[in-house]
Amino acid sequence: MSHTDAFFHRRHRQKKVALFVAIAAGIVVLVLGLSSLAVVDGLQRASVIRERVGDAQTALVNRDIAGASLAITDATTELETIESRVRLFGFLRPVPYLGNQVSSLIELVNDGRVSLEVIRTLLDIGVDIESDLQSVGLVEGLASVEHFTELTPEMRKELVFALSRKVPDLERAKARLNQQRLGLETLDGDELFFGLRIVRTELLDQIRRLDDTLNVLIPVLSVLPDMGGFNGAQHYLLLLQNDGELRPTGGFWGTYGVLRVENGEIAEIFTDDVYAVDFPSEGVITAEPPLPMKRYLGIDKWYLRDINWSPDVPASAQRALEAYANETRLPDQQYVTAPRVNFQGVILVNPQLGVELLKLFGDVDTGSVTFTPENFYDVLEFEVEQAFVNKGIETLDRKDVIGEMINALFARLKDANTEQLGDLARMTLQLLDNNDIMLYGVKPEVQRIFEREHWSGDLRINAEHDHMMIVDTNLAALKTDKAITRAYTYSVHTNPAGELIATAQINYDHLGGFDYRTTRYRTYTRVYAPLGSELIRVEGSLLNDRTKNPSGAAGAVDVGQEFGATVFGAFTAVEPGANGQLSFTYKLPDYVKEMVDRGEYVLDIQRQPGVGGVALNLDLDLGKPIMSATPPEVSEFWFNDSYTYTTQAGPFQTFNIQLEIKPTAQ
C-alpha cells in the first residue's frame, strides 16, 4: 500500500471513529437529557402530589372522608406515573452525580408511596367507621357533625369502639412509617440536587407529622373505651398540685376534686379544699408520716394532703386512693362533705394546665376576680391566702373560686370548635410529656399504657445504668418554691484506687423575702442513686433552720433503698436573699465501673415533676479517652478525657458516652 493510500485509509478510519464517538456522545446526551427531564418531571408531579395531600388534609379537617380519599387517589396516580418513568433510568445508577440523583429519586418515590399507603390505611379506617356509624343511625356521615356532643351516646360508643378496634392496624402503619423515616434520615441531603433536597425535606416532614399523629392516637384509643366512660361511668380523683410548695410528686395537694366521665363527656366536676377531707378525720386517723415529716413539718398523723411522700407518682397515687377512702368512710364522722366514691384512677395536674387553658379559651371573670394567663398563679394565691378574709369567706370555702374558674373553662370546652379541640389535644400531650399532667389507672392494663407513654411520673431506674434524681420536699416553707432558682451539678471522677466517685450537688438561690407566701426555704432533699452506692460525705445539711439551729450544726443524713435505688436524704434551709448548696458524694457501685471498663457509660437523669426550669451541669471524667457522646459536647470541650455538658433538665434524659478501650497485652 502506497503512502497516499495509507494516509486516506487512516483518515477514513479516524472519521469512522469520530462518527462513532459523536453518535455515542449524542446517545449519552440524549439519555442524560431524558433522565434529567424525568427528574424534572418527577419534581413537577411531586408538587401536584403535595397539593393533593394538602387537599386531603383540608377535607379531613371538614370530616369529608370521601373527599380526602379522592385527593389521595389522585396523589397516588401521580406518584405511580413518576415511579414508572424514573425506573426506566435505573441503569444510570453507576453514572457519577446523575446516577445518584436518579437513585435518590427512586428511593424518595418508594418512601412517598409508603407514606400515601399509610394515609390510605387511615382513610380506609375512616370509611369503615362511617359505615359502622351509619348502622346506628348516622346516615349522613361525620361531615354532618359539628361537635362530638351532637352524637347520641350509642353513636359515640360505636365511634370509640370502632376506633379502638383499629389500634393494631395503626400500630402496623406506624412501624412502616418508622422504617421509611429512618431511611430518609440516613439519606444525605447535601449530595442531592436542590429540587430533590426540597422533596426529601417535605416528605420527611410529612412522615414525622403522620408519626406524631399516630403517637397520640394509638395510646389514646387504647385507653379511651375505659377512661372515656364508654363501659360505664368512670370516676377520677383529681389532685391539684401547688408547685409553689414543692412536694415529691410536683406540689402540695391543696385542692382535690372528683371528675365523672360518661360516654366521652365530663359529666360532672367537683373541687374543694383538701382540708374538707382531712379535718373530719382528725383524731381518728392513726397512720404515721415518714420520719422527716415528723422532724421538720411537726406532724404526727398522715393525712391525704401530705400523702405524696414518694416521688414515684403511681405509688403516691395508690396511697392517695387509700387515704381518701379511709378518711371518707369512717363511721362516726360528722360534717363530711367529700363524696364517697370508688375511683378508677387519679389525675394530678400542676398550675401550668390552668395557664394553658386560659391561653386557649381566654380570660375568665368569676364576678369577683379575673384570671389571665399572666396573673393566674399570683391572683389565685392571693385569693385563697389573703383576699377571702376581707371578703368574709369562710376558711373551708376560700377555694370555691377555683371551682368557679374550672366550671367556666369547661363550659367553654363544651362549645369549642374543631380547631380549638385540636389545639387542646396538642396542649394536653405537651403537658403530659412535661409531667404537668400525670395519670394513674387502677386497672393494670390501663396503667401499663400510661407508663409506656411516660405519662404516669413513675420512677424509671435501669439497673444497668448510672442514675441520678434529686427530690426536694418543702416542709413548712409556705409557697417559697416560686422564689427559688435551682441548678443541679452531677460530677463523676476516678479516685486513686480506680473507683468511680460521684457528687450530686444542688444550688439554691432564694430570690424572695418575707411575706404572706414566702419565707426562709426549708427542704428535705433526697438523691436517688444506683443501687449499692456508698455514701462518703454530705456538705450543706442542717439540723434545722437558723431559728431553731442558730449555730448552723450539720444535720443527720438518712440512707435507705427503694424502687431499685439507694436513697440519700438530708435537710437544709436557705434564708431570703441568700444562696445555699447541698451536695452528696458517694462511691458508685461496681456494675457502673464494669460498664465503663467495657467502653460504655450510660447516665439517666430524671427530673422531679413541678420543679420547673432547672439548669443541669455534667462533669464526667471516667478515666478513659472519650470516643463519642450523645448528646455531643460543644467543640470547645473536645479532645480531653472528660464530658462537660450544660442543658435544661428535662423530665427524663439519657446520656451515652463511648470510651476508648486499650487492648490488653498478650
Side-chain angles (χ1 to χ4, degrees):
M1 181 183 296
S2 67
H3 289 293
T4 302
D5 291 338
F7 172 78
F8 282 108
H9 180 73
R10 187 167 57 252
R11 288 292 303 273
H12 179 68
R13 187 172 58 196
Q14 288 174 343
K15 287 181 179 180
K16 288 173 65 178
V17 171
L19 179 62
F20 175 78
V21 170
I23 293 172
I27 292 173
V28 169
V29 170
L30 178 63
V31 170
L32 293 178
L34 289 174
S35 59
S36 298
L37 287 174
V39 172
V40 173
D41 179 67
L43 293 175
Q44 291 173 339
R45 291 182 181 276
S47 178
V48 175
I49 292 171
R50 183 167 58 250
E51 291 176 6
R52 295 290 84 80
V53 171
D55 293 341
Q57 291 172 337
T58 301
L60 283 175
V61 169
N62 296 320
R63 299 171 300 285
D64 180 8
I65 294 176
S69 182
L70 181 61
I72 292 301
T73 298
D74 290 344
T76 302
T77 300
E78 293 290 339
L79 189 68
E80 288 172 349
T81 301
I82 296 174
E83 189 171 20
S84 62
R85 293 183 179 180
V86 171
R87 289 195 181 281
L88 294 174
F89 298 93
F91 68 91
L92 289 175
R93 287 182 173 182
V95 178
Y97 183 73
L98 186 60
N100 183 50
Q101 306 307 307
V102 172
S103 297
S104 297
L105 184 54
I106 291 173
E107 187 172 343
L108 289 171
V109 167
N110 289 334
D111 292 332
R113 177 168 41 78
V114 170
S115 179
L116 289 178
E117 287 172 357
V118 169
I119 295 174
R120 170 64 66 188
T121 298
L122 298 178
L123 290 173
D124 288 344
I125 290 173
V127 171
D128 291 344
I129 289 171
E130 286 220 311
S131 176
D132 292 339
L133 288 173
Q134 287 174 355
S135 68
V136 292
L138 190 65
V139 178
E140 297 180 8
L142 288 172
S144 64
V145 179
E146 290 297 326
H147 199 281
F148 182 73
T149 55
E150 295 177 20
L151 298 174
T152 66
E154 185 182 9
M155 290 176 182
R156 292 182 209 167
K157 188 171 184 176
E158 181 57 42
L159 174 61
V160 168
F161 277 94
L163 285 168
S164 182
R165 288 192 294 269
K166 297 298 183 180
V167 166
D169 294 335
L170 295 175
E171 288 175 333
R172 284 190 290 271
K174 178 174 168 53
R176 293 191 69 190
L177 274 181
N178 284 340
Q179 186 175 0
Q180 300 308 120
R181 181 175 179 170
L182 288 173
L184 277 173
E185 287 174 341
T186 56
L187 187 63
D188 190 352
D190 293 337
E191 294 185 1
L192 296 179
F193 169 64
F194 178 72
L196 290 182
R197 198 182 312 155
I198 293 176
V199 171
R200 171 190 175 272
T201 300
E202 291 182 347
L203 183 56
L204 192 54
D205 287 343
Q206 177 179 302
I207 288 177
R208 284 171 176 159
R209 285 194 297 271
L210 278 172
D211 196 33
D212 290 343
T213 300
L214 292 174
N215 282 338
V216 177
L217 277 178
I218 291 171
V220 169
L221 294 179
S222 299
V223 300
L224 193 56
D226 275 325
M227 283 203 71
F230 293 98
N231 288 318
Q234 302 285 293
H235 295 85
Y236 300 98
L237 177 60
L238 186 63
L239 295 168
L240 278 58
Q241 306 197 116
N242 189 334
D243 55 12
E245 186 175 352
L246 192 62
R247 291 294 173 88
T249 64
F252 177 66
W253 292 347
T255 301
Y256 83 99
V258 177
L259 185 68
R260 179 166 63 88
V261 180
E262 198 165 359
N263 291 319
E265 276 194 292
I266 296 174
E268 181 183 8
I269 184 167
F270 161 85
T271 62
D272 201 357
D273 196 321
V274 72
Y275 288 94
V277 179
D278 291 346
F279 277 171
S281 303
E282 288 188 353
V284 183
I285 291 295
T286 59
E288 293 191 6
L291 186 57
M293 282 190 157
K294 288 184 177 182
R295 287 182 195 151
Y296 305 111
L297 194 56
I299 61 173
D300 58 1
K301 295 294 182 287
W302 207 12
Y303 295 96
L304 175 63
R305 62 183 179 270
D306 295 317
I307 211 75
N308 57 337
W309 177 254
S310 174
D312 182 73
V313 174
S316 282
Q318 290 174 23
R319 285 202 180 104
L321 293 177
E322 294 167 4
Y324 186 94
N326 291 337
E327 293 182 31
T328 58
R329 293 175 186 171
L330 294 173
D332 297 329
Q333 285 178 308
Q334 295 179 345
Y335 311 115
V336 177
T337 59
R340 298 180 178 183
V341 180
N342 289 321
F343 292 105
Q344 283 72 50
V346 181
I347 303 174
L348 294 82
V349 299
N350 286 349
Q352 191 62 31
L353 173 61
V355 173
E356 297 301 327
L357 287 174
L358 289 167
K359 287 180 182 178
L360 180 60
F361 294 120
D363 300 349
V364 169
D365 187 348
T366 66
S368 60
V369 65
T370 299
F371 290 102
T372 71
E374 294 75 24
N375 73 13
F376 171 67
Y377 185 85
D378 292 336
V379 168
L380 183 57
E381 274 301 310
F382 183 73
E383 286 294 312
V384 302
E385 298 291 347
Q386 295 282 296
F388 78 95
V389 177
N390 297 329
K391 293 179 179 180
I393 298 173
E394 295 292 331
T395 300
L396 281 180
D397 296 330
R398 64 196 172 108
K399 294 185 179 178
D400 287 354
V401 66
I402 297 175
E404 293 169 4
M405 183 191 67
I406 290 175
N407 289 334
L409 287 171
F410 276 102
R412 295 181 189 179
L413 172 61
K414 289 184 177 181
D415 295 331
N417 57 38
T418 303
E419 183 179 353
Q420 286 177 314
L421 290 175
D423 290 341
L424 177 64
R426 285 185 286 272
M427 177 202 80
T428 302
L429 184 64
Q430 290 172 356
L431 293 173
L432 283 165
D433 288 342
N434 198 48
N435 289 156
D436 287 313
I437 300 175
M438 290 170 287
L439 307 174
Y440 171 73
V442 171
K443 286 187 175 181
E445 60 270 26
V446 172
Q447 179 59 21
R448 279 195 294 270
I449 293 172
F450 293 157
E451 292 186 5
R452 184 189 70 197
E453 299 301 321
H454 309 311
W455 292 347
S456 70
D458 56 307
L459 257 65
R460 296 157 58 189
I461 296 176
N462 188 316
E464 297 180 353
H465 296 176
D466 192 4
H467 179 275
M468 194 271 286
M469 182 181 187
I470 293 169
V471 179
D472 273 314
T473 305
N474 176 327
L475 296 177
L478 302 178
K479 306 300 182 279
T480 302
D481 281 279
K482 284 296 182 182
I484 299 296
T485 298
R486 291 174 177 79
Y488 299 156
T489 299
Y490 185 67
S491 59
V492 177
H493 72 275
T494 304
N495 69 6
E499 300 168 324
L500 290 176
I501 307 301
T503 298
Q505 177 178 298
I506 313 98
N507 289 337
Y508 303 95
D509 284 333
H510 193 323
L511 306 179
F514 288 103
D515 57 39
Y516 73 92
R517 67 180 188 183
T518 309
T519 183
R520 59 182 52 84
Y521 191 53
R522 297 165 45 88
T523 177
Y524 182 81
T525 303
R526 284 171 283 175
V527 171
Y528 283 72
L531 188 64
S533 297
E534 299 175 16
L535 184 67
I536 297 174
R537 64 181 177 275
V538 172
E539 297 178 0
S541 67
L542 293 172
L543 190 63
N544 214 309
D545 67 47
R546 67 186 301 176
T547 64
K548 300 175 183 178
N549 178 29
S551 66
V557 180
D558 300 316
V559 180
Q561 294 181 2
E562 64 175 352
F563 302 108
T566 293
V567 186
F568 308 118
F571 176 87
T572 195
V574 184
E575 293 295 308
N579 56 66
Q581 189 178 94
L582 180 64
S583 66
F584 299 79
T585 299
Y586 47 93
K587 182 176 82 71
L588 290 169
D590 290 341
Y591 79 80
V592 178
K593 177 69 166 57
E594 291 166 1
M595 175 174 59
V596 169
D597 289 341
R598 293 193 301 269
E600 184 178 27
Y601 171 80
V602 183
L603 168 66
D604 296 328
I605 302 285
Q606 187 162 3
R607 187 193 69 192
Q608 178 183 7
V611 79
V614 180
L616 172 63
N617 306 296
L618 299 179
D619 183 11
L620 310 173
D621 185 350
L622 302 167
K624 297 179 185 296
I626 294 174
M627 305 301 292
S628 64
T630 305
E633 301 171 281
V634 296
S635 57
E636 64 184 276
F637 295 118
W638 292 358
F639 309 116
N640 58 36
D641 291 350
S642 66
Y643 178 79
T644 304
Y645 194 81
T646 297
T647 186
Q648 193 87 347
F652 192 91
Q653 295 157 289
T654 296
F655 301 84
N656 192 304
I657 300 175
Q658 299 298 315
L659 303 162
E660 181 180 271
I661 299 295
K662 295 182 180 179
T664 56
Q666 298 295 325

